Amino acid sequence: MASGPEEERARPEVDDDDDDDIPQLSSAAATALREFLEQRLEGEKGEGDKPELVAEDWRLSQFWYDDRTARELAAEVSLLASSLPGAAVACVACPTLYAYLKKGSPDVPARLLEYDERFGRYGGDFTFYDYNRPEELPPALKHAYRIVVADPPYLSQECLVKVAKTVSFLAPPEGSFLLLLTGEVQTDRVLQLLNVHPCGFKPQHSNKLGNVFRLFTNYDPADRLGGWDRSDGAHI
């Protein structure tokens, strides 16, 4: 996760029983692509090949994912991108994922939206982003990303609502994949705002944090990332 400094407008609640608009990846395509990506990732691990990351700045609520988390997320995003030829990826306040994605799948078009201007090192792939101004983004980015990954920098309702506005700006109204990483305490809020459900996979950070984090998606990854968590209280 990464951030900006500390108008709320809640989006209407979405009926989570209506799965008609949830994008799906065919099982056959997913299996073949996953095997390919796993082989490539194993090769990278054997080489000890990790992308270079800037130092975390705790004042900006920056906490980088650990290697396993970053690799698994990058593999999932690559898999989704492979199923949608030409689809671009927006990484909202998650520079670790962006770095791993570009290292392992440089052919996947991806953009990092971040407050920390040190990431201007990524050139044209970097867009300055202040979550307090969720829709003050270049017009060309509107509805331009079929895959959006977001990691709100703070575990507050205010921050989540504003990031949800950014997600709605970036993703087309239908047919997009959303992955959201945030604290488990946000489970009810993310369901209401973005109609996403928790997966079995639990993100970890290089510096251990006191809060339990979860990965939420608007599609069921099935046998990937632990699938949707269908235990009691998961609201699926």
Side-chain angles (χ1 to χ4, degrees), residues 1-4 60-66 69 73 90-98 112-115 129 131 148-156 159-160 162-164 166-167 170 178-183 186 190 194 203-205 209 213-216:
M1 76 170 63
S3 79
L60 295 179
S61 188
Q62 290 180 340
F63 305 99
W64 303 158
Y65 309 139
D66 67 9
T69 296
L73 289 173
C91 300
V92 182
C94 45
T96 326
L97 171 62
Y98 171 87
L112 174 62
L113 291 83
E114 242 294 339
Y115 181 81
Y129 170 65
Y131 82 86
V148 178
V149 188
D151 189 338
Y154 299 103
L155 301 182
S156 67
C159 181
L160 181 63
K162 290 176 178 178
V163 170
T166 301
V167 170
L170 296 169
L178 170 62
L179 297 86
L180 181 77
L181 298 98
T182 189
Q186 301 271 49
V190 299
L194 292 164
Q204 301 292 326
H205 297 80
L209 304 181
F213 278 73
R214 299 296 298 265
L215 168 66
F216 300 85

Side-chain angles (χ1 to χ4, degrees), residues 73-94:
L73 289 173
E76 177 68 9
V77 172
S78 296
L79 176 65
L80 297 175
S82 297
S83 73
L84 300 169
V89 180
C91 300
V92 182
C94 45

Side-chain angles (χ1 to χ4, degrees), residues 44-177:
E44 291 175 1
K45 288 181 184 178
E47 299 167 6
D49 189 13
K50 296 182 181 180
E52 181 182 352
L53 301 171
V54 303
E56 296 173 336
D57 186 342
W58 62 269
R59 295 169 301 177
L60 295 179
S61 188
Q62 290 180 340
F63 305 99
W64 303 158
Y65 309 139
D66 67 9
D67 183 65
R68 170 182 168 271
T69 296
R71 288 186 186 278
E72 293 204 28
L73 289 173
E76 177 68 9
V77 172
S78 296
L79 176 65
L80 297 175
S82 297
S83 73
L84 300 169
V89 180
C91 300
V92 182
C94 45
T96 326
L97 171 62
Y98 171 87
Y100 272 76
L101 183 62
K102 296 306 290 184
K103 185 74 173 181
S105 302
D107 54 321
V108 174
R111 176 171 298 277
L112 174 62
L113 291 83
E114 242 294 339
Y115 181 81
D116 188 343
E117 298 200 55
R118 288 182 297 170
F119 293 106
R121 63 194 288 180
Y122 295 134
D125 284 353
F126 170 76
T127 295
F128 175 80
Y129 170 65
D130 182 349
Y131 82 86
N132 287 297
R133 299 174 175 82
E135 296 176 313
E136 289 188 14
L137 295 168
L141 274 57
K142 188 168 186 178
H143 298 166
Y145 297 91
R146 296 281 303 278
I147 304 166
V148 178
V149 188
D151 189 338
Y154 299 103
L155 301 182
S156 67
Q157 181 174 356
E158 176 199 25
C159 181
L160 181 63
V161 167
K162 290 176 178 178
V163 170
K165 292 180 184 178
T166 301
V167 170
S168 294
F169 179 94
L170 296 169
E174 297 180 356
S176 58
F177 291 97

